Each structure stands twice: as C-alpha cells, then as structure tokens.
Amino acid sequence: KKEELDPILTRTGGAYIPPARLRMMQAQITDKASLAYQRMSWEALKKSINGLINKVNVSNIANIIHELLQENIVRGRGLLARSILQAQGASPIFTHVYAAVVAIINSKFPQIGELILKRLILNFRKGYRRNDKQQCLTASKFVAHLINQNVAHEVLCLEMLTLLLERPTDDSVEVAISFLKECGLKLTEVSPRGINAIFERLRNVLHESEIDKRVQYMIEVMFAIRKDGFKDHPVISEGLDLVEEDDQFTHMLPLEDDYNPEDVLWVSYAEILDEGSSGSGSGDDGEGSDEDENDEEAEEEGGDEQDKVTIFDKTEVNLVAFRRTIYLAIQSSLDFEECAHKLIKMDFPESQTKELCNMILDCCAQQRTYEKFFGLLAGRFCLLKKEYMESFEAIFQEQYETIHRLETNKLRNVARMFAHLLYTDSIPWSVLECIKMSEDTTTSSSRIFVKILFQELCAYMGLPKLNERLKDLFRRTIWRLRRGRRSFAQAEFSKGEESLTSNEDIVGRWKESQGLGFVPTLWV
C-alpha cells in the first residue's frame, strides 16, 4: 500500500484544503519542535512578508514597517530580501519606496541591508556579463536609491559608472545615464570631483564614439539636467526621509569583490526537512557522521581524477575575446599614442603578439578610407620590440600571397599601411623579396597591390629617392652574393654552385629566373 503524505509536509501544500479544516488541522499540532509545525510557520512567515512588501507605498510605509518588524525577519531575512528584489523588479517605478523600506530595516538590522545590497551587486554584474540591459537598469536604479538613502557608499556608484563607460556601447551608455539621473544630485554633494570625471567621460563618448543618435540625444539631455541642478530628481522624495542621520548605517561594498548571496536562506525549510528525515531515529547520529566522512573521501578521490583531465578548448572563445578587447581599445582611443599605451597596459602573453598585429591590420582594412592612425600605431609597435617587426614582416608575405581574397577597398588600405611602414623603416625593405613580377606569378589583385604600394611610396619619398633606395637595395643584394652569403637573392639568381662575378651575369640569371626579356633600369 502506498504511504499517504501529509498535505502540510508536501512542497506545494498538496490539494486544496478548506480554511476551516486547515485551521482545525493546525490546531491539532501542539509540538512546536515538530517538522509539520516548523514548515507551517515558515510558510506563514513567507506569505506574511510577501503580502506586506506588495502593499507598501508612500502613504502607508510607517504602518507596513511596524507590522514587518513584528515578524521574525531575522529568521526570514532571505525571504525578505528576495521579496523586496522581486517587487522592485516587477515595479521599478516604486524603487524609491522599496529603498526607504530597506533604509529603515538597515538601521535596525544592518546584516539584512548588507544582504540586499550584495544580491543587487551580483544581479548587476550578472546582467552586465550577459548584456541584459533590463536587469542592469533595474539593479542600478535600486542601487542609486540606496546610495541616496546612505545605505550604500558613493564609491560603489562611481565604480559602476566607470565600468559602464569604460567600453561604451548604446546599451551601457543608456544604463549609465539612467543611473546618473537617480543619484547625480547625491554625487554632486558628496563627490564633486568624481561626478566631474564621469561627465567628462560622457563628453568624450559623445564626441568620439560611434553611438546611436538616440543615445547621443540622451547624453545631451543629461547635461541639460545637470545644468538645471537635477531639480526633477531629488535625493530623497518627500515623505520617505524616515531615518535619522545618527541611525544610518552605510555599507562600503566594492563592485568587484566576491560575495555570497546566501541563497539557502529563503529555502531554509529544506534543511529542516533533511534534518527531520535523517534524525528520525535516536541512534542515527554516528552513522550519519560516518556517511559524511565517506562522502568527503569520495569527493576528494573524484577531485583527484578531475585534476588529471585535460580540456582543450577548440571554440577559440579566448581568441575572440582577445580580438574584441583589442578592437574596443582601438576604437575608443583619441590618437595612436593613447591606443599604444592602452594595448601595452593589457599585458597579454607573447603568443598573442602576431594576433595583435593582425588585428591592427584588420581594423585598418575595415575602414572606408585609409587612416594614418593605423600606420602610426603599427610603426610604434615595430619600434617597441623586434617581435612586432618580425610579425609584420610575416604578415606582409601572408597578405601578398592571399591578396586576391580582399576587396579593392581593403586591398588599397592594406597597401597604403605597408607603404607607410616601409617609408618609416618600421619594417625592412627585404620584405619585397616575396614579390616576383611576371605574368605567371602575379594576379590582377597582386598587381594592383604592388601598384598602390609603389604609388604611395612615391608620394611619401618622391621618385628620385625611391629610385635611389631601390638601387641601394639591389647593390646590397649583389654585395651579399659576392660575399658568398646564400640569401634569398642568391637562391634566386644562382644556378647550382656557380659563382657570379659581374653585374651582367647576375642580371642575366635574374631575367632567366623571372622569364622576362628586360630589367627595369632603376634596378640595374
């Protein structure tokens, strides 16, 4: 026969029980230490707290607080925090009322105010990581009103604003402006230098970043609100300044710390159920402790096995995140020196050196027209370390071999950037050795690339200097051959182990290797 379950002990309360019968069943429970009584009192506390929080408004807040303090909110602090956050998320328009409730409770029980603030910070961080604008708006609005009520310190506000405006997007700027409207007047009073820095950053975002017109208009409105002294956004609304200054307790909680949300607090009846089921017999304590020890040993063994497992991430998540970071740093920089400083401060591993160079070239290729910013940035990195110069050398050869894959506009930008690097001697001219001008070894794209490259060099240096530089490069190639060094040119111009003694022999061998009947006069 199937064992009958007590409706009071089931998770959902079981089937519907008429109120009169329920009261009769509850009256029959006389042992306050019993599982049924504890579960019943927990459900009653949960229902009472939810009902009071849902009824609170400006006119009845004093009565609600009086009734709320009569409940066991120390035991039900997890229920209270969860109820307040859910009510505020469902009705953000009443955030100032819920903040006043939290301020009053925080003056009597600071640990409850700290718990609510921790969960708010974690909610904001979760929404920011997931790009959930609505969750960020809700959490930041509540934090702003808690700062106005002196429950949270203003440093938390400055950290959140700095995070939102560090890499500005349409959504992050919108959240920052909404946040600033609520607590801007408070920040002006307690931290004028901090709010000046925030508005200076907003001005830079307005002038430099490529954000939507709607967001640009929101920034302009924010400056107008500040000019009017936040007259439509007071620190504390009328009728909600209910805590004396001496009774206020301000929590100094940084944004980036690790916090324990204490989620188990709102389901503490589950622990009671577990204790009731495991402690039904008087002699089970020793067995339970033995089982716990066995579980711990099993977990340790499992942990050792897990340590031996090596996981290879082939989704390139880290690479995508690295490229996104580089792109945002480039787009948010005013000039190439600021950008180089930002990228150097990132302190990325040496294995990512070539990826950084590739990202600079890709950003340059994506522009509608060539911007000298990218040439100067690449040149600066080539001068900083030899590894960057070698990376750009390898990239030049790779780009030339796959130049047919690029559109004409991207091809033009890439050619002009490499011309700038050659003109400034950021990379050696020996990279041109990979270019073989013949009908068989070139395509239409590679010929266009070479044409734009030399046109740009000619514009930078002038034709006489360019001619002299190429002659000098050719003379150095001949000198290396005569010195017996097996360079690239020697491999191209010599056959077998024969020695080349005159310019005519070298030019003749070069013509044979290239399949040409002539040699440009500026090369001889």
Side-chain angles (χ1 to χ4, degrees):
K1 184 179 178 181
K2 201 171 184 179
E3 184 181 355
E4 294 184 3
L5 296 175
D6 189 342
I8 298 179
L9 297 182
T10 56
R11 187 176 182 83
T12 58
Y16 173 73
I17 303 173
R21 185 181 175 189
L22 181 61
R23 283 194 295 271
M24 183 182 66
M25 293 171 63
Q26 292 172 349
Q28 293 174 356
I29 303 173
T30 56
D31 185 9
K32 292 187 177 182
S34 65
L35 180 62
Y37 184 84
Q38 291 294 327
R39 172 64 185 271
M40 183 179 64
S41 61
W42 179 264
E43 292 294 335
L45 177 62
K46 180 179 178 181
K47 185 181 296 185
S48 177
I49 290 175
N50 285 338
L52 291 171
I53 294 300
N54 289 334
K55 288 190 296 185
V56 69
N57 55 46
V58 178
S59 60
N60 68 359
I61 186 171
N63 298 329
I64 294 294
I65 292 295
H66 182 70
E67 294 181 31
L68 200 57
L69 293 176
Q70 291 178 350
E71 301 290 343
N72 189 358
I73 58 174
V74 174
R75 180 191 177 192
R77 61 187 184 277
L79 292 175
L80 179 61
R82 183 182 177 87
S83 180
I84 290 176
L85 292 179
Q86 283 185 338
Q88 188 266 341
S91 304
I93 193 172
F94 294 110
T95 302
H96 57 294
V97 180
Y98 299 121
V101 172
V102 174
I104 297 171
I105 296 173
N106 181 69
S107 65
K108 307 297 181 184
F109 304 99
Q111 68 273 23
I112 299 179
E114 183 182 13
L115 175 63
I116 294 173
L117 188 56
K118 284 179 180 178
R119 293 188 179 182
L120 275 174
I121 293 173
L122 293 172
N123 285 346
F124 174 79
R125 279 158 47 175
K126 185 190 297 182
Y128 183 79
R129 286 196 307 269
R130 297 178 178 177
N131 292 326
D132 189 343
K133 183 176 76 171
Q134 189 57 45
Q135 186 172 359
C136 287
L137 283 170
T138 304
S140 62
K141 188 173 184 178
F142 206 165
V143 171
H145 282 283
L146 290 181
I147 292 170
N148 291 341
Q149 291 280 359
N150 289 322
V151 175
H153 199 273
E154 64 271 8
V155 171
L156 176 61
C157 172
L158 295 174
E159 287 180 338
M160 291 172 64
L161 288 170
T162 303
L163 176 66
L164 289 168
L165 298 177
E166 183 180 5
R167 300 169 184 172
T169 62
D170 292 345
D171 289 344
S172 68
V173 173
E174 186 175 345
V175 173
I177 290 173
S178 174
F179 187 31
L180 202 51
K181 284 180 183 178
E182 303 297 339
C183 61
L185 185 56
K186 178 72 174 180
L187 276 180
T188 305
E189 295 173 358
V190 299
S191 180
R193 291 181 61 186
I195 197 169
N196 287 339
I198 295 299
F199 273 98
E200 188 63 29
R201 179 59 182 154
L202 278 175
R203 184 178 287 109
N204 292 337
V205 170
L206 180 62
H207 292 159
E208 300 168 11
S209 300
E210 297 180 359
I211 56 177
D212 191 63
K213 291 289 184 183
R214 179 180 64 87
V215 181
Q216 293 179 10
Y217 177 72
M218 291 175 68
I219 296 177
E220 294 172 357
V221 171
M222 188 67 243
F223 276 96
I225 292 173
R226 185 196 187 191
K227 187 176 181 181
D228 293 340
F230 296 92
K231 62 181 182 180
D232 295 330
H233 303 276
V235 176
I236 300 177
S237 302
E238 185 179 355
L240 294 178
D241 191 4
L242 303 172
V243 182
E244 296 292 336
E245 187 174 353
D246 296 337
D247 296 333
Q248 292 173 347
F249 191 95
T250 304
H251 298 280
M252 181 66 177
L253 298 180
L255 180 63
E256 297 298 331
D257 280 9
D258 293 330
Y259 298 116
N260 179 17
E262 302 180 41
D263 291 329
V264 74
L265 289 175
W266 81 278
V267 288
S268 60
Y269 66 86
E271 296 179 356
I272 298 172
L273 289 174
D274 292 339
E275 291 173 3
S277 59
S278 62
S280 56
S282 59
D284 292 344
D285 294 338
E287 296 177 4
S289 61
D290 293 339
E291 290 176 2
D292 292 341
E293 291 176 1
N294 294 334
D295 291 342
E296 290 176 2
E297 292 176 0
E299 288 178 1
E300 291 176 0
E301 293 174 2
D304 294 338
E305 293 177 0
Q306 289 179 357
D307 293 339
K308 298 176 183 177
V309 176
T310 303
I311 299 174
F312 295 97
D313 182 12
K314 296 186 178 181
T315 59
E316 296 186 346
V317 174
N318 294 333
L319 178 61
V320 173
F322 175 74
R323 291 176 66 89
R324 184 188 300 115
T325 305
I326 299 300
Y327 176 78
L328 292 174
I330 291 174
Q331 295 300 323
S332 62
S333 300
L334 181 62
D335 57 12
F336 76 97
E337 291 179 340
E338 178 189 350
C339 184
H341 182 67
K342 284 182 180 178
L343 295 175
I344 293 170
K345 280 181 65 179
M346 290 179 185
D347 195 22
F348 47 84
E350 293 184 1
S351 58
Q352 300 284 7
T353 299
K354 189 172 181 181
E355 194 58 45
L356 170 64
C357 300
N358 269 318
M359 196 61 202
I360 294 174
L361 185 67
D362 290 345
C363 290
C364 176
Q366 292 295 333
Q367 303 299 315
R368 291 185 178 179
T369 58
Y370 172 71
E371 294 183 10
K372 199 173 181 180
F373 170 91
F374 295 99
L376 293 170
L377 179 61
R380 174 58 58 90
F381 274 101
C382 288
L383 296 177
L384 283 174
K385 274 187 180 181
K386 185 180 179 182
E387 288 78 5
Y388 294 112
M389 182 182 69
E390 292 173 348
S391 297
F392 275 109
E393 287 184 59
I395 291 171
F396 180 89
Q397 184 170 356
E398 292 171 4
Q399 286 292 327
Y400 181 73
E401 291 173 355
T402 60
I403 200 70
H404 56 278
R405 300 177 184 174
L406 298 182
E407 301 172 1
T408 305
N409 187 59
K410 292 182 179 180
L411 185 149
R412 182 179 292 107
N413 289 346
V414 170
R416 295 184 68 180
M417 177 176 153
F418 279 118
H420 181 276
L421 294 180
L422 289 170
Y423 164 64
T424 57
D425 288 323
S426 300
I427 57 176
W429 285 60
S430 58
V431 296
L432 298 176
E433 292 174 346
C434 65
I435 300 176
K436 300 178 182 179
M437 295 304 297
S438 68
E439 185 178 355
D440 297 331
T441 58
T442 59
T443 62
S444 58
S445 297
S446 63
R447 289 191 286 272
I448 293 172
F449 174 80
V450 173
K451 183 187 80 170
I452 296 173
L453 180 72
F454 279 92
Q455 281 180 342
E456 197 69 14
L457 285 171
C458 186
Y460 279 131
M461 305 172 64
L463 188 58
K465 288 186 178 180
L466 177 60
N467 192 5
E468 185 62 31
R469 188 62 184 268
L470 292 172
K471 284 183 178 180
D472 183 58
L473 181 64
F474 191 68
R475 290 192 197 102
R476 275 189 251 171
T477 304
I478 296 174
W479 181 81
R480 287 202 305 270
L481 291 173
R482 287 180 175 176
R483 296 290 294 177
R485 296 181 182 179
R486 296 196 59 82
S487 63
F488 174 86
Q490 186 179 18
E492 285 293 323
F493 297 161
S494 64
K495 289 184 177 179
E497 299 298 328
E498 296 179 10
S499 61
L500 303 177
T501 55
S502 64
N503 289 353
E504 290 77 7
D505 292 338
I506 295 173
V507 172
R509 296 290 172 82
W510 185 86
K511 288 193 295 182
E512 292 176 10
S513 64
Q514 299 295 327
L516 295 176
F518 70 95
V519 178
T521 55
L522 59 86
W523 282 24
V524 179

